[in-house]
Amino acid sequence: MAQVVVVTSGKGGVGKTTTTAALGAALAQEGQRVAVVDFDVGLRNLDLVLGAERRVVYDLIYVSQGNVKLSQALIRDKRLETLYLLAASQTRDKDALTDEGVAKVMGELRESFDWIICDSPAGIERGATLAMRHADVAVVVTNPEVSSVRDSDRIVGLLDAKTDKAARGERMEKHLLLTRYDPVRAGRGDMLNVDDVIDILSIPLLGIIPESEEVLRASNLGSPVTISNTKSAPARAYNDAAQRLMGADVPMVFPSDRSGLFSKLFGRKAA
Amino acid sequence: MNWFVPFRRRKSASVARERLQILLTHERGTEGHADLIPVLREEVLAAVARHVPVDVDKVQVKIERGEAVSLLEIDIELPCDAQPAKRRAVARRATRSQRLAVSQAH
């Protein structure tokens, strides 16, 4: 059965698009059929991070309005044959996206994919609530930094109020993905640590993505970090997170590009 | 908690953690009574200030919500020359009812 995942955060620039691309590619590498959907109308970037920016012809709005078929708008990844992108419109007004239109597209995507990963725009406006509306699972991307944690808390509240799952009285499954984490600074008490953020947000941990230059390198190349350098620390962390999404019990080791010492020091059990 | 650790600078992460915990308690509101905390804060402050001088910045109001009961915690730091030195008032509030049974700890 298809799982719809929303990657959300409230705050911008914390790594939603990077995460959508990395998790999508990690799941596709496991042979899962994956569609990544960009909901950031007017400020699309998932196409760029996936290196598909020159192949976008039709987008989410075309499909939602019934102007083209879903299969015409889906862009298949050149590296992974089970990974598809549905881009957002760069030129249309964001009001062109309607509740009914999105419901129709999500219904169709559910029929042909195992995973549908929705990349939410920043903020708490319509675009963000539309991206989360149909989700079964939410990945709340958070930096260990006060403004990001505050915004994530707000988003957690919205996930419990503005989703179809919440409206049906079901519990929305929410996971914390801590990104740009620096264990050395956290260890020194100069950065919120993993436990601080888990305590404050009270949602289980899906993964810890270390601050790494590999993330920028991957986006420069237009390749998800889980494809561009599979051995890098962020790629391993994203792969582990993808395994946990699939229900595997993967111990929460802290991946590092440096010696194995950090993994030992920061080894922890998944929440 | 101690805001003034002499001879040692407090780590910024623990300041961040505490600020967030206080802020988010306010922002999450209390079901149907989003402004309960600020109202209580004002009224309790006014009552205490009638008897001892109180620094508004040294007052903390928190609500911890539980299944059966919620815990309302009001921390008021009083200056050393005011007696008693520090007093903590703890009020327990049943989640649904508005009735507040205020009991004084210590």
Side-chain angles (χ1 to χ4, degrees), chain A residues 8-213:
Chain A
T8 184
S9 69
K11 191 176 184 301
V14 297
K16 287 181 294 296
T17 303
T18 301
T19 296
T20 304
L23 287 179
L27 290 167
Q29 277 167 328
E30 293 293 315
Q32 303 280 306
R33 288 180 59 81
V34 183
V36 289
V37 185
D38 195 342
F39 274 81
D40 206 345
V41 175
L43 290 169
R44 76 173 178 218
N45 275 316
L46 187 55
D47 54 334
L48 198 52
V49 169
L50 283 168
E53 69 275 14
R54 293 196 297 178
R55 300 168 60 207
V56 180
V57 181
Y58 300 116
D59 55 54
L60 174 61
I61 290 180
Y62 277 96
V63 188
S64 73
Q65 293 183 338
N67 297 330
V68 300
K69 280 187 283 190
L70 177 62
S71 57
Q72 291 175 277
L74 283 170
I75 303 164
R76 181 195 262 190
D77 188 85
K78 292 210 156 153
R79 296 146 297 205
L80 297 168
E81 60 176 23
T82 58
L83 178 63
Y84 289 79
L85 164 70
L86 182 54
S89 171
Q90 187 69 335
T91 50
R92 304 285 284 276
D93 190 272
K94 60 183 190 306
D95 292 333
L97 213 51
T98 61
D99 279 359
E100 301 74 31
V102 171
K104 179 178 90 85
V105 178
M106 297 312 276
E108 284 182 44
L109 285 168
R110 275 181 190 273
E111 284 170 21
S112 18
F113 289 93
D114 301 314
W115 296 88
I116 299 130
I117 308 183
C118 305
D119 184 18
S120 172
I124 53 171
E125 306 300 322
R126 238 173 75 82
T129 50
L130 273 178
M132 68 172 68
R133 177 75 40 87
H134 302 276
D136 302 304
V137 180
V139 173
V140 181
V141 182
T142 307
N143 289 171
E145 184 266 323
V146 285
S147 53
S148 175
V149 176
R150 180 197 212 175
D151 292 358
S152 289
D153 191 76
R154 190 79 197 277
I155 284 292
V156 167
L158 287 183
L159 287 165
D160 288 331
K162 300 234 165 168
T163 52
D164 280 356
K165 221 172 171 186
R168 290 195 300 265
E170 294 170 37
R171 209 180 62 79
M172 183 75 193
E173 193 184 317
K174 301 172 287 282
H175 297 282
L176 170 66
L177 190 76
L178 197 57
T179 55
R180 307 200 67 168
Y181 191 70
D182 183 335
V184 176
R185 294 176 73 189
R188 279 203 306 258
D190 295 333
M191 179 184 266
L192 286 167
N193 68 34
V194 184
D195 293 321
D196 288 339
V197 183
I198 296 173
D199 274 2
I200 293 166
L201 294 178
S202 305
I203 55 175
L205 184 65
L206 181 70
I208 310 162
I209 313 300
E211 171 81 64
S212 165
E213 55 192 41

